[in-house]
Every structure is written in C-alpha cells, then in structure tokens.
Amino acid sequence: MKTIIRIFLLFMLSLNASAQTPKHEVRAVWLTTIGGIDWPRSHSAYQQRQELTAILDQLCQANINTVMFQARVRASVVFPYADEPWDICLTGNPGQSPGYDPLQFCIDECHKRGMQCHAWIVTIPVGKWNTNGCKLIRQKYPNLIRKIGDEGYMNPEMSQTGDYLARFCAEVTRRYDVDGIHLDYIRYPETWKLKISRDQGRRNITDIVRKINRAVKAVKPWVMLSCSPIGKFDDLARYKSSGWNAYTTVCQDAQGWLRDGLMDALFPMMYFQGNHFYPFAVDWRQHSYGRIVAPGLAIYMLHPREKNWPLETVTREMSVLRELGLGCTFFRSKFFTDNTKGIYTFTQDFNLYPALIPPMTWAQKPAPLPAANLNVHRGMSFDQLSWSTARDRSGADYLLYNIYASEQWPVDVSDARNLVIARCRQQSVTIPNKGRSLHYAVTATDRYGNESAPVMSAGMGVKRTKPIDFRQLIMGHSLKKYK
C-alpha cells in the first residue's frame, strides 16, 4: 500500500514542471552501431566523423552528459582489436579497417563537450554462427560457443567465458580513456534451455561479472562499471513481471551486484508504461544501495512504426524518475536526435541546465584540494577566466573543472542553475556575460566524480574593465555637450 501511495504522490509531483533541476543526474543515451542504425550512416571515414560530431553536438545541446557508445557489437568491434574483427557497419565489408579508430574518436569528441563516454560491450551473443567473429572465437576456443538456431552465444556455464570477457574489458580499459565499461546482455539468453537450478544460473552470471569487475578495477579503479539488466528485476508483491524479469527469467542478480559492490551503476531497460513501469522504477530506487540507477526509456516506442506512444508517456516517466532521484537513459540516439514526437525539444527544456554525474562515493576517495588564483579578465561581451591547478587525492590520472557563474556573490555552487561548464579539462575558458557583471567559482572534480571546494572570483571589490560606450564610438568627444 505504501508503494502505491508513493507512486501516486510522485506522479502528482511530476506534473509540476517547475521542479528544480538537480545538480547531479545521469542523462544518458545509447548510441547504437549495429547495422549503423544510429551511426554510421555512411561508409566514408570522413562522413562518419562528420555524422558523429553532429550527433554529439545535438546531445550536448540537450545537456546529455553520458554517451553509451556500442564498441563490441557481436564478437565484432569498432576499434582495432587483435582477437575480434572490425564490424561490418564501418565499411560494408566485415573485418575491414575504416582507416581510423572510431572508439578513440568518440571518446575524444565526448570529452571535448564535457560528456562521459562509456564503452558499450555486448557480452554473451556473438552473432550468426558463420560470421567472422563467431567463427574466430570457435576456432580459438572450441566448445565455448553454444548454437541456438542460427545464432552463437558464449556459454555462461564455462569459466572461459568470464576469463575472455574480463580480458576484453581490461584491454579496452587499458588502451582507452573511457569513463565507463557498460555490459549489455550479461545474462542467459531467453532461448537457452537451462538444465541447472536458477540459483546456479545466477551464480554463473555473477561469476562473470565478478571477473570483469576485478579486471577493470585493477587497471583503472575509477572507471564506472555498469550494465543494462531487464527492466523488471522480479515480481513484486502487488505487481507481476508477466514472466519477463532479470532475476528469475534470465538469472541476472543486478540488485545484488549493486549491493555487493560488483557494479557502480545500472541502466535497466524499462521499455514499459503505466503499472509495468512505475512500481518497478520504485523497486530499483529502493534497492539501489546508494549507487547509480538510470533507467532506459523506450523513446523508440514514440515512432508511428513502433507503438506510437504519445509523448506524455515518456515525459511523465522522466519526471517521476527525477522525483525519485534517478537518472534516465534514452534508447536510442536516432529517435532522440530526430526529435521523434518532440522528445528532443522537451528534453532541452527539461534539462535546462547542465548536470554532473553523481560521484562514486563508495570508492571512499577524498575530494581534490581546490584550485587557486582564479583570475577574471572582464570584457564587454565575454569574460576570460584562468586558474592554477587543483590537487588530486584519488590516485587517478587527471582532474576536470566545473565553472559556475552568478550575479550574486558568493556563487552558490550547489545550485544547478549556476553551472555553466562541466568537466572541462583546460584551465582557462571564455564565458559570454551578456553584458552582466558576473561572479565566478571554479571547482575541481576527480575521475570518481568527487568535487572540491570552490575557488571564487573576488567579491564586491572586483575590478571591472570600464564598458565601452557605443555612443562615444559613434559621436566622439562631441557627446560631452549632450551630457
């Protein structure tokens, strides 16, 4: 009964469009490469880079802060890797290099825009039985791949599967400046005829997750490990999952992975509406164990060729998730950037201000020591800021900086409305002031998301360059007689 009342109250609160935007919130998008359905739309390397930067520009303008970039498709990849071939989406020819590294390019372009880039790894499915990637693994690891229909799957019941995937994820983590490793399909296939107990099946999948966790964290402990479980964890007391859930159906103990520290974040695929959505969203929140949960929303269902949902179905879900303190993730990118039913336009207003990724406080790393010597050179239209380096105390590789601006001093860095630039790596920026006298604050953020105390620009005694009088430019000294 308490859950029903809470859902009703959250729904009523979600109708209040003036709810304050949170400072910390995951706003993510899955950017799909399989078949080029989101990207790439061309086999030209030049066009691919142009397309990807245009997509990332759009995501940035909607204050999206996390991009799940599909790096392993079906035992095929979009980066150079000795043990698996290039995916066909890049050139039209399986195994052929596009002449550049799309994963590296995406990481660099995301970071330029202050967005995180997570390498999206499809784990258990390895594609059609006779495709290059599936054949390569079968040749190297006989009996590791199970055939179901004409598809191949890595066998969750063999320890080699966890070893292989752990090596793969560690290699991506070692070679690339990814912000996260995102595991997809880390479960039993729904067509798998399970001949062991469900408990043993869950232990098998959890063993794979544990191996990947250890491998990734041994290389870069600040890299966020996440997965996309089935959207309903299990049957609830009053609401049933209709036979499709993570825990019982496909042996994904995703909530247990949060509880036991094997996952930093979950992105449940909540491609439902009404009572198939809200009670299960509350359940994810109640079993988040202080970690990150950002449910996936089925914006593809808005399209007339899909279920033709009204826009309000998704926007209400977004509002309730925000009231619950959860993030949200759009599946998938093209439906978002195409502004299907107005979802992009709505999100631009909904995410009116940037947001930081919630910090991974469970890693128990001290926040950075603040930057110093914030210098502000004020102009008529733009202010130039520079500051000295903050000091990292987390053991990670570098710091990022957040810039806040306000007409009030001291600048309130807890207010999302004052955040103007997030996750900036350089130590000097130019801020448009729109003719206002702005005060500034700069904080440092480590790779775990821990934020330092701010360094502020000077208060009331701040020196400001005298504004240029356009009338003086036009009329010269003769202006004086009119004063």
Side-chain angles (χ1 to χ4, degrees):
M1 187 64 183
K2 289 181 179 178
T3 300
I4 297 172
I5 294 171
R6 187 176 185 190
I7 293 168
F8 175 76
L9 291 173
L10 286 167
F11 180 77
M12 296 307 294
L13 284 169
S14 74
L15 299 179
N16 178 10
S18 63
Q20 185 170 336
T21 304
K23 176 180 168 179
H24 292 93
E25 184 176 62
V26 171
R27 303 166 180 173
V29 166
W30 279 294
L31 206 165
T32 312
T33 58
I34 187 169
I37 56 176
D38 283 339
W39 177 91
R41 311 294 288 179
S42 162
H43 292 148
S44 158
Y46 173 79
Q47 282 296 115
Q48 288 175 10
R49 288 189 285 256
Q50 295 295 108
E51 290 168 7
L52 189 53
T53 54
I55 291 169
L56 297 179
D57 281 342
Q58 274 192 272
L59 299 181
C60 183
Q61 288 159 16
N63 282 321
I64 298 297
N65 57 23
T66 306
V67 175
M68 307 296 193
F69 183 68
Q70 192 174 30
R72 186 187 196 230
V73 183
R74 295 290 189 273
S76 56
V77 292
V78 296
F79 62 95
Y81 185 60
D83 292 339
E84 295 188 3
W86 287 98
D87 190 73
I88 191 173
C89 72
L90 296 166
T91 64
N93 299 308
Q96 181 178 329
S97 168
Y100 75 108
D101 186 339
L103 177 56
Q104 184 64 62
F105 183 78
C106 187
I107 293 167
D108 291 343
E109 294 300 314
C110 282
H111 288 177
K112 286 178 187 176
R113 292 161 177 78
M115 297 187 290
Q116 287 198 356
C117 184
H118 294 215
W120 168 8
I121 311 297
V122 179
T123 55
I124 299 298
V126 291
K128 300 293 184 184
W129 191 250
N130 288 315
T131 52
N132 288 359
C134 183
K135 286 196 293 186
L136 199 61
I137 297 176
R138 287 194 286 118
Q139 290 165 3
K140 195 168 184 179
Y141 303 96
N143 305 317
L144 183 59
I145 306 302
R146 172 81 64 89
K147 187 178 184 183
I148 303 177
D150 60 352
E151 300 280 343
Y153 297 88
M154 302 190 81
N155 190 341
E157 295 167 10
M158 296 184 69
S159 62
Q160 284 177 302
T161 292
D163 297 337
Y164 182 96
L165 291 171
R167 283 195 305 272
F168 183 98
C169 293
E171 180 72 7
V172 173
T173 304
R174 184 178 299 108
R175 286 172 50 192
Y176 293 96
D177 187 22
V178 290
D179 300 286
I181 295 292
H182 178 64
L183 307 178
D184 189 12
Y185 218 111
I186 187 72
R187 60 179 177 87
Y188 274 88
E190 58 272 27
T191 50
W192 190 284
K193 294 181 179 178
L194 204 63
K195 297 179 180 179
I196 57 176
S197 70
R198 297 286 169 179
D199 283 343
Q200 183 59 52
R202 284 186 285 272
R203 283 194 290 271
N204 291 339
I205 300 297
T206 297
D207 284 345
I208 297 171
V209 171
R210 184 176 290 107
K211 287 179 178 180
I212 295 172
N213 175 283
R214 289 173 178 170
V216 168
K217 298 295 185 178
V219 178
K220 294 174 183 173
W222 58 85
V223 168
M224 184 184 294
L225 185 62
S226 70
C227 73
S228 51
I230 301 302
K232 301 171 183 177
F233 178 69
D234 206 356
D235 288 339
L236 305 179
R238 295 179 61 88
Y239 299 93
K240 303 305 178 184
S241 63
S242 303
W244 182 238
N245 63 67
Y247 186 77
T248 301
T249 310
V250 296
C251 301
Q252 277 182 317
D253 188 11
Q255 293 179 356
W257 300 339
L258 289 183
R259 180 194 62 230
D260 297 340
L262 299 179
M263 286 282 170
D264 299 304
L266 296 180
F267 297 80
M269 298 180 291
M270 298 194 69
Y271 305 156
F272 319 111
Q273 57 178 314
N275 285 341
H276 290 285
F277 181 89
Y278 297 108
F280 296 93
V282 171
D283 180 59
W284 286 114
R285 175 65 182 87
Q286 290 175 338
H287 297 90
S288 61
Y289 299 96
R291 303 205 171 200
I292 296 168
V293 178
L297 302 184
I299 63 170
Y300 69 95
M301 292 289 197
L302 299 170
H303 199 282
R305 288 201 302 267
E306 296 290 341
K307 296 294 185 180
N308 202 24
W309 284 1
L311 178 62
E312 291 74 18
T313 298
V314 173
T315 59
R316 285 173 181 168
E317 291 177 350
M318 292 169 66
S319 297
V320 168
L321 291 179
R322 178 167 286 178
E323 293 293 341
L324 284 168
L326 304 178
C328 77
T329 310
F330 293 132
F331 185 79
R332 51 186 173 81
S333 172
K334 191 172 189 302
F335 291 96
F336 183 60
T337 55
D338 281 354
N339 200 22
T340 306
K341 290 255 179 94
I343 184 61
Y344 182 85
T345 302
F346 173 86
T347 303
Q348 283 187 300
D349 291 334
F350 189 75
N351 295 343
L352 193 55
Y353 305 100
L356 303 180
I357 308 295
M360 294 192 285
T361 53
W362 48 92
Q364 299 183 335
K365 300 294 182 180
L369 295 176
N373 305 318
L374 175 56
N375 297 308
V376 181
H377 298 281
R378 300 182 184 273
M380 191 170 64
S381 301
F382 296 90
D383 295 335
Q384 293 181 325
L385 281 62
S386 63
W387 56 91
S388 59
T389 308
R391 200 178 103 199
D392 179 58
R393 297 192 291 173
S394 71
D397 49 359
Y398 59 81
L399 291 173
L400 298 158
Y401 296 94
N402 308 310
I403 295 90
Y404 301 81
S406 174
E407 292 180 285
Q408 305 297 318
W409 193 93
V411 178
D412 182 359
V413 297
S414 68
D415 189 339
R417 293 172 296 181
N418 294 332
L419 180 61
V420 291
I421 297 178
R423 293 175 49 82
C424 162
R425 193 165 177 183
Q426 64 265 30
Q427 289 173 236
S428 62
V429 297
T430 300
I431 307 288
N433 59 39
K434 297 182 180 178
R436 298 174 298 166
S437 297
L438 295 174
H439 304 287
Y440 295 98
V442 173
T443 64
T445 302
D446 64 26
R447 299 301 299 279
Y448 296 89
N450 300 304
E451 190 175 22
S452 75
V455 56
M456 299 267 185
S457 59
M460 298 305 292
V462 147
K463 291 183 180 179
R464 182 177 178 88
T465 305
K466 186 177 180 180
I468 298 173
D469 190 326
F470 284 102
R471 296 175 302 165
Q472 184 75 48
L473 288 174
I474 296 169
M475 302 179 67
H477 294 293
S478 62
L479 175 65
K480 292 179 181 178
K481 66 182 180 182
Y482 297 102
K483 291 185 176 180

